[in-house]
Amino acid sequence: MVLYTAPFPNSCLCALHAVSWALIFPCYWLVDRLTASFLPTTYEKRQRADDPCYLHLLCTAFFTPIYLALLLASLPFAFLGFLFWSPLQSARRPYIYSRLEDKSPAGGAALLGEWKGTGAGKSFCFATANLCLLPDSLARLNNVFNTQARAKEIGQRIRNGAARPQIKIYIDSPTNTSISAASFSSLVSPQGSDSGARAVPVSIKRTSSVEYKGDGGHHPSDEAANGSAPGDLADSGSLEDACIVRISGEEGGRPPEAEDPATGNQARNGASGGPKGQTPNHNQRDGDSSSLGSPSASRESLVKARAGPDSSGSGDPGANNKLLYRASVVKKAASRRRRHPDEAFDHEVSAFFPANLDFLCLQEVFDKRAAAKLKEQLHGYFEYILYDVGVYGFHGCCSFKCLNSGLFFASRYPIMDVAYHCYPNGRGSDAMASKGALFLKVQVGSTPQDQRIVGYIACTHLHALPEDSAIRCEQLDLLQDWLADFRKSTSSSSTANPEELVAFDVICGDLNFDNCSSDDKLEQQHSLFTRYKDPCRLGPGEEKPWAIGTLLDTNGLYDEDVCTPDNLQKVLESEEGRREYLAFPTSKSPGGGQKGRKDLLKGNGRRIDYMLHAEEGLCPDWKAEVEEYSFITQLSGLTDHLPVAMRLMVSAGEEEA
């Protein structure tokens, strides 16, 4: 299949579209800015209340007449542009494919040679997130703003978190044998230019023997990203090399404290240094790779560089130009996550995106300029990206579409086939966007017999209006039918000629219903959950005890307690914090306001962002099992959803081995 790298079939149509949009854009921008000025967020309201000299009202009174005058002047040009733009949409392709070729050892082509379908198996990591990257006036309805700056910051945080090496901490303890939470949320990397495994002294306040193992994180490219990711630092060594750190101590006693004077100077997530309650939507600077000036910046939590005379006291003669690594995230590993006795995989609330993230599915990336900024940042880690997915204007039997689908996909592995379908039954405000489903087939390896090993991924965003359960069920029906058709049309295998081996089949996205609300019973009982497994679900209306909601209470997005990744992580690890800052299931009962119902509700909030995987339809004698599952707080203050990540372990049977 040919992947479309341009929105139109030829350069003439592309140029005509660019001209028509240039005529429309001033009117679009002025309407957006004018509306946004009358929709303040809670952050802006607090800022005005704290600053008696705040001149917002004066600025609004001054600029509103100017905006209105310019808007009236731009209307004729916008109308002319619309006359050309609208018919062009019938020839527009449903997505744009972007590839930034990575020739490093972790590039897409090189990754295909890592797994031959033999041995112990291969793990693949997936993540999904709703980013609320709408035009600024619409984003403010969800209490977020500054869409362009948020897009850049989101891309940097995802890239920085995913570029870390995969780390697992194994606890040798008679009371806790699970993998530590630091496998998803700590950073360890070889020191200096020595690419071999090094032992790093770390202070840990519990009895355990801990081992870190890195399996080759992807080294980000500088060519497509502003600033650098943690792995970009020249003195950090290659992240492709194995990294092993051992922290040992006697059972029943405390491990020895590390005698490193820099230990006490390690940066903490959300360290003080900015105004109270400041969020990453502010003080953005171009070239500031992770907004280090922001108290909520995640990079300070990932790595802290230290150089100069002060570092010589560590006893290491080459310490001046070496990185000091923060592994203190294990300080609460035992209390933060305990594997349920009947649970087969590890789970946690993590402050970072998982290391070695392979596939990223995003929703609500509606704004085109924000999508371009996000793509630019993510290309520092992901080689293959699909963006601007969807249709515009009058398309088929659908109503007029002002916005695309908002779907966005990024992959480290080559994309083989793509299909997009628009849901035809949207209603109300949802009908203005071309919400639908994006289907992808990716190649993840090849066997010694040159059989391709492939995986299927579906990314979707369902109807949002809470009272429209029947519409969502219809969309789930369509999702299943389209996925079956996509697999059938793209498969080159048969029983007699198995040219491809299917390793996984995953569905990600914002389904806009939860598994606890009484109003969502129809969706909870849908047949999709008999064909695909939800790792967080016990059954219709019943969640696993550790599962938490992914929809935040928008009123508290900028509270000091949750405005940094670490703070939000700590809050969500407690029942009281979840009740305060998560949105809870809806109710049709009179007087059922969220604040008054929280004490009476079961569950841990509304979980509307899902990651499902199939256990059937894979290669015979192969199985895909969840290895790790996490709820991620790294985008705190940037969106009203919690991203979700899942790591699948795919293992082959003896016949294929």
Side-chain angles (χ1 to χ4, degrees):
M1 178 179 179
V2 177
L3 298 174
Y4 304 129
T5 57
F8 291 93
N10 56 66
S11 57
C12 180
L13 291 179
C14 287
L16 187 58
H17 178 267
V19 171
S20 64
W21 181 246
L23 294 172
I24 296 172
F25 181 77
C27 181
Y28 161 81
W29 185 86
L30 287 166
V31 170
D32 185 48
R33 294 311 312 153
L34 186 62
T35 307
S37 64
F38 294 97
L39 295 173
T41 62
T42 56
Y43 176 86
E44 291 169 325
K45 290 177 181 178
R46 293 173 188 175
Q47 191 178 48
R48 298 172 196 174
D50 293 340
D51 186 1
C53 298
Y54 196 77
L55 302 179
H56 174 77
L57 294 178
L58 182 61
C59 292
T60 301
F62 177 77
F63 284 107
T64 296
I66 298 176
Y67 282 154
L68 287 174
L70 293 175
L71 178 60
L72 291 174
S74 67
L75 283 176
F77 299 98
F79 179 74
L80 179 63
F82 181 80
L83 293 179
F84 289 96
W85 177 87
S86 184
L88 282 174
Q89 302 315 304
S90 60
R92 184 186 176 277
R93 292 161 170 171
Y95 62 83
I96 302 176
Y97 168 73
S98 176
R99 180 186 178 187
L100 184 67
E101 187 173 359
D102 190 346
K103 298 181 180 179
S104 71
L111 287 175
L112 295 181
E114 290 185 357
W115 189 42
K116 299 294 184 181
T118 60
K122 173 74 173 177
S123 68
F124 299 96
C125 191
F126 308 80
T128 183
N130 183 314
L131 302 184
C132 199
L133 292 177
L134 289 150
D136 198 49
S137 57
L138 298 179
R140 288 168 178 268
L141 298 177
N142 289 343
N143 201 27
V144 290
F145 64 113
N146 206 344
T147 294
Q148 306 307 316
R150 283 194 299 117
K152 182 178 178 181
E153 178 74 9
I154 286 170
Q156 291 169 348
R157 290 199 188 187
I158 294 175
R159 183 192 66 190
N160 291 349
R164 299 170 295 119
Q166 184 181 354
I167 302 165
K168 291 187 178 180
I169 301 179
Y170 295 92
I171 310 299
D172 297 331
S173 167
T175 58
N176 184 8
T177 58
S178 67
I179 298 175
S180 165
S183 61
F184 262 30
S185 53
S186 65
L187 172 70
V188 176
S189 182
Q191 291 195 8
S193 59
D194 184 1
S195 60
R198 300 179 61 93
V200 180
V202 179
S203 172
I204 175 171
K205 296 182 179 180
R206 62 189 176 94
T207 303
S208 60
S209 175
V210 185
E211 180 176 314
Y212 293 68
K213 292 185 179 179
D215 70 339
H218 180 71
H219 192 96
S221 169
D222 289 333
E223 297 177 358
N226 293 330
S228 58
D232 295 331
L233 298 174
D235 295 330
S236 64
S238 173
L239 295 180
E240 306 302 322
D241 299 314
C243 174
I244 300 175
V245 180
R246 290 182 174 85
I247 308 173
S248 59
E250 298 179 357
E251 296 293 342
R254 288 180 59 181
E257 299 289 338
E259 296 181 358
D260 187 349
T263 302
N265 295 328
Q266 294 296 322
R268 303 182 63 182
N269 283 358
S272 60
K276 178 179 177 180
Q278 186 174 345
T279 72
N281 289 346
H282 308 279
N283 294 335
Q284 307 282 342
R285 298 190 301 272
D286 290 341
D288 184 10
S289 95
S290 283
S291 298
L292 295 178
S294 169
S296 59
S298 60
R299 185 170 177 178
E300 290 184 343
S301 307
L302 298 176
V303 63
K304 177 73 174 178
R306 179 186 174 97
D310 293 341
S311 61
S312 61
S314 63
D316 185 351
N320 287 348
N321 295 319
K322 292 183 179 179
L323 293 175
L324 300 177
Y325 302 97
R326 177 177 185 252
S328 60
V329 72
V330 301
K331 62 186 180 294
K332 292 186 179 179
S335 61
R336 186 165 64 204
R337 181 183 58 182
R338 297 276 186 172
R339 183 190 293 177
H340 191 274
D342 298 327
E343 194 63 86
F345 57 88
D346 297 288
H347 45 80
E348 68 164 330
V349 178
S350 171
F352 305 109
F353 276 84
N356 293 339
L357 179 61
D358 295 308
F359 307 102
L360 179 65
C361 298
L362 302 176
Q363 301 85 48
E364 291 200 11
V365 187
F366 288 115
D367 188 272
K368 288 174 146 185
R369 293 183 297 150
K373 289 180 173 63
L374 185 63
K375 173 185 70 75
E376 181 183 8
Q377 295 299 322
L378 291 180
H379 257 324
Y381 178 80
F382 294 101
E383 184 173 344
Y384 311 91
I385 289 178
L386 288 174
Y387 67 105
D388 199 9
V389 178
V391 295
Y392 297 91
F394 293 103
H395 188 80
C397 61
C398 298
S399 59
F400 185 84
K401 305 297 183 185
C402 300
L403 300 171
N404 61 24
S405 69
L407 301 177
F408 185 109
F409 178 78
S411 170
R412 295 175 64 200
Y413 289 89
I415 299 172
M416 300 177 64
D417 291 284
V418 180
Y420 161 79
H421 294 278
C422 178
Y423 293 126
N425 60 345
R427 188 179 71 86
S429 58
D430 258 30
M432 299 175 62
S434 58
K435 285 188 175 180
L438 180 67
F439 303 96
L440 306 111
K441 178 182 178 182
V442 295
Q443 183 177 357
V444 295
S446 59
T447 68
Q449 295 77 30
D450 290 330
Q451 292 175 283
R452 290 190 296 266
I453 304 176
V454 302
Y456 288 93
I457 305 170
C459 178
T460 189
H461 189 187
L462 298 189
H463 190 72
L465 300 182
E467 64 273 14
D468 291 336
S469 292
I471 291 179
R472 280 188 290 275
C473 286
E474 291 175 8
Q475 293 178 347
L476 290 175
D477 292 338
L478 290 171
L479 178 66
Q480 291 190 95
D481 294 341
W482 290 337
L483 183 53
D485 291 342
F486 179 71
R487 289 195 57 168
K488 184 177 180 180
S489 63
T490 59
S491 176
S492 60
S493 298
S494 64
T495 304
N497 183 27
E499 297 179 1
E500 295 178 344
L501 305 178
V502 179
F504 55 79
D505 184 354
V506 172
I507 296 176
C508 305
D510 180 356
L511 303 189
N512 272 314
F513 66 87
D514 63 72
N515 195 40
C516 293
S517 293
S518 58
D519 300 341
D520 295 337
K521 286 185 177 180
L522 284 177
E523 299 96 316
Q524 295 164 11
Q525 299 171 1
H526 195 273
S527 60
L528 177 73
F529 295 103
T530 63
R531 299 180 57 182
Y532 289 84
K533 183 176 181 180
D534 180 358
C536 300
R537 165 182 162 124
L538 289 173
E542 188 176 5
E543 296 277 80
K544 292 184 178 178
W546 52 266
I548 68 172
T550 60
L551 185 62
L552 298 172
D553 184 353
T554 56
N555 292 325
L557 291 181
Y558 305 107
D559 287 2
E560 188 175 4
D561 290 342
V562 295
C563 67
T564 68
D566 264 2
N567 287 353
L568 181 57
Q569 178 193 30
K570 293 172 184 176
V571 163
L572 296 183
E573 285 168 352
S574 68
E575 182 178 356
E576 296 78 8
R578 291 191 292 270
R579 289 185 179 275
E580 180 69 21
Y581 289 104
L582 290 181
F584 271 72
T586 57
S587 174
K588 294 179 180 178
S589 60
Q594 176 163 309
K595 294 295 183 180
R597 293 184 296 108
K598 286 188 174 182
D599 292 337
L600 305 175
L601 294 172
K602 66 175 183 177
N604 289 318
R606 296 199 69 202
R607 185 175 62 89
I608 64 175
D609 299 272
Y610 289 77
M611 303 201 75
L612 314 176
H613 68 98
E615 295 182 312
E616 299 178 356
L618 309 180
C619 178
D621 297 326
W622 285 28
K623 60 181 180 179
E625 297 179 320
V626 178
E627 190 178 32
E628 293 174 330
Y629 198 96
S630 68
F631 301 89
I632 301 163
T633 64
Q634 194 170 5
L635 302 185
S636 63
L638 299 175
T639 180
D640 59 338
H641 286 242
L642 286 181
V644 178
M646 174 178 69
R647 195 180 298 276
L648 278 182
M649 171 60 71
V650 180
S651 55
E654 294 183 358
E655 293 183 4
E656 285 71 25

